[in-house]
Amino acid sequence: MELTREEERALAGEKGEALALAYRILAAIGEATGAKRLVPVKWAHVSGVNYNTIGDAGVQFLEKFSRDARVAVKTTVNPMGYDRDRPEQLPEKFIEKQASIMRSYERMGVTPSFTCTPYEVFDIPEKGTAVSFAESNAAVFSNSLLGLRTNKESALSALASSVTGKAPLSDLRLDEARNPRVAIETGFSFESELDYGLLGYFAGKAVKDSSVALAGIGNSIGRPQAKALSAGIGTSGSCGMFSLGDSVAAGIGEKIAFGKEEARKVRDELSTADDGDIITLGSPQLGLEELATLARLTEGKKFDRRCMIFCSRAIHNQATKIGLTGQIEKAGGEFMCDSCTCLTPYVDKDRYDSVITSSVKAAYYMNNSNKVKVALKDVKAIVKEYTK
Amino acid sequence: MTTMMITGCRKIVGGKGEGEALVSSQPINFLAMVEARSGRITDPKHELYGRSLKDAILVFPNAIGSSVGAYVFYSLKEAGTAPRAIVCAKADITTASGCAIANIPVVDLPEEMAKEPLSSLVRPGSRIRVDAEAGQIAATV
């Protein structure tokens, strides 16, 4: 990959340690993705904010990196480890380490969004705009539905784009990789957003390419369905984009079938319990549509166990203005802002044996990282079974 | 003992590394499957379950899943449990960016070899030397 003279000097350290490291990251991912040069990006969304995900080494890295690093473009950040207004029940050490991470990002000049759905909180740039999104659901969603152009970035590649304002011109930033060469044909009609999550997880695992065509689920899908699909794809593989519409899939040779049998297999892999001690809804954080559905479903009912609902503070504020949070709290729902389900310190195997959730992404990380069992059910089924 | 050379590899992160080949044909989600303190793979469904990456030459297709997996390479290095070098079939952004800050040499295989099953190219347990600048892998078989 060719660097300009300016970029070479920054790589050599003439503009500080942070920029030298950032260009070192960009050079490595440029080689990996076969880029010829770097191009400007308008917006970086950085992951690696929850202490549970980056650990002590990550805290130390960010503390050092942020000493002379400043954002060069609009930079939003993924969820932190807990709701800033609800630190109770958390170990002092966790709060202290999380605070250090926050200080590092703050002094870099990021926008403290603490959301994994930046596309629901901030204005969307015009189609074709190059961005650098690390949160996998956001990268997949933005490529597939908003026409933005990002690779499935890592926490560090998005951080490098944030302070340089640049990213390699490769892969999903170019038309060629955005045109799918493999299609997945769904052979049954979906009943809930969970089915979309299962399809996503299946697609991420089955497809080695950067993009995939999805046939049999219509030319457009609702936002909650698209979020579940994007989060599922982002969890299990390296695919970073989907295209809808049977016409797109028609012209593609390689076809993979996704029938009831395949869906059941994914569900059996991720659903490791029939029941759970608590309910967690989120991953991605819920948006206004999901909250409106939840308010409608729980009207006049009450959850029979703790039900934690993860959403961004921005969405929580909007939902409160239109009365949604009040209705859901009346049903016993407990809102957790700024944070999300995956690797949340609120849920660990000392406190809970198993968790009920409707998110495929949450199920994967609850099983593998939080090390608790998971009962994976769609939202309607959860409300039906766990409210009085 | 004969030495087999694979040349024409792509340099992703520079440097040299030598050690025992830890080979897998399965991708790895570093956030969900690797415990940095011990360097061990913690996913029972993965063929390297229980094995440690420490001082090994990790030979695997690519990383998948979480974007935060990149930090795990840095945590492995800080904990002294990192592999000496990494050979991917096709290097991904998470592996490339994580190893760039952790100074773990990374190469990936030439195009025509990238599709072959890795275990047929590199015998698990064999002694491997990776030279990223030269784009070479030397395996004693």
Side-chain angles (χ1 to χ4, degrees), chain A residues 24-25 28 31-32 47-48 53-54 57 60-62 134 151-157 234-237 343 364-365 369, chain B residues 10-13 29 31-33 42 45 64-68 70-71 74-75 78 90-91 93-94 96-98 100-101 103:
Chain A
R24 195 173 145 74
I25 292 169
E31 293 301 329
S47 63
T53 61
I54 64 174
Q60 172 217 328
F61 170 80
L62 284 172
N151 280 318
K152 193 170 177 279
E153 304 295 342
S154 80
L156 294 170
S157 64
T235 298
S236 61
L343 287 111
Y364 178 83
Y365 286 105
S369 302
Chain B
R10 285 191 322 166
K11 176 194 108 173
I12 308 300
V13 176
N29 179 326
L31 177 65
M33 299 180 185
T42 56
K45 297 190 292 294
I64 54 169
S66 169
S67 58
V68 189
Y71 276 102
Y74 187 75
S75 302
E78 291 297 300
K90 184 161 189 321
I93 287 176
T94 292
S97 54
I101 70 165
N103 282 326

Side-chain angles (χ1 to χ4, degrees), chain A residues 274-295:
Chain A
D274 301 327
D275 218 331
D277 307 324
I278 69 166
I279 301 161
T280 66
L281 299 175
S283 201
Q285 290 170 328
L286 299 190
L288 289 177
E289 245 182 278
E290 291 114 312
L291 292 175
T293 302
L294 193 57

Side-chain angles (χ1 to χ4, degrees), chain A residues 134-208:
Chain A
E135 166 49 45
S136 52
N137 101 77
V140 175
F141 187 95
S142 303
N143 273 328
S144 314
L145 288 136
L146 306 177
L148 300 183
R149 296 189 163 216
T150 180
N151 280 318
K152 193 170 177 279
E153 304 295 342
S154 80
L156 294 170
S157 64
L159 186 67
S161 294
S162 160
V163 299
T164 59
K166 300 192 176 163
L169 180 58
S170 58
D171 208 2
L172 289 170
R173 289 202 176 85
L174 296 164
D175 289 340
E176 201 217 330
R178 294 174 72 85
N179 300 325
R181 288 190 302 278
V182 59
I184 293 185
E185 287 184 323
T186 294
F188 65 103
S189 56
F190 285 4
E191 281 141 21
S192 73
E193 79 292 344
L194 176 55
D195 290 326
Y196 290 86
L198 299 174
L199 168 60
Y201 188 88
F202 175 83
K205 232 177 181 177
V207 170
K208 295 286 168 281

Side-chain angles (χ1 to χ4, degrees), chain A residues 10-63:
Chain A
L11 176 63
E14 290 176 30
K15 297 183 182 160
E17 241 182 86
L19 275 178
L21 194 61
Y23 276 102
R24 195 173 145 74
I25 292 169
L26 293 179
I29 64 172
E31 293 301 329
T33 56
K36 297 275 181 302
R37 58 189 173 85
L38 297 174
V39 290
V41 292
K42 258 241 172 59
W43 175 6
H45 180 76
V46 171
S47 63
V49 183
N50 174 359
Y51 171 55
N52 252 354
T53 61
I54 64 174
D56 294 329
V59 172
Q60 172 217 328
F61 170 80
L62 284 172
E63 196 286 321

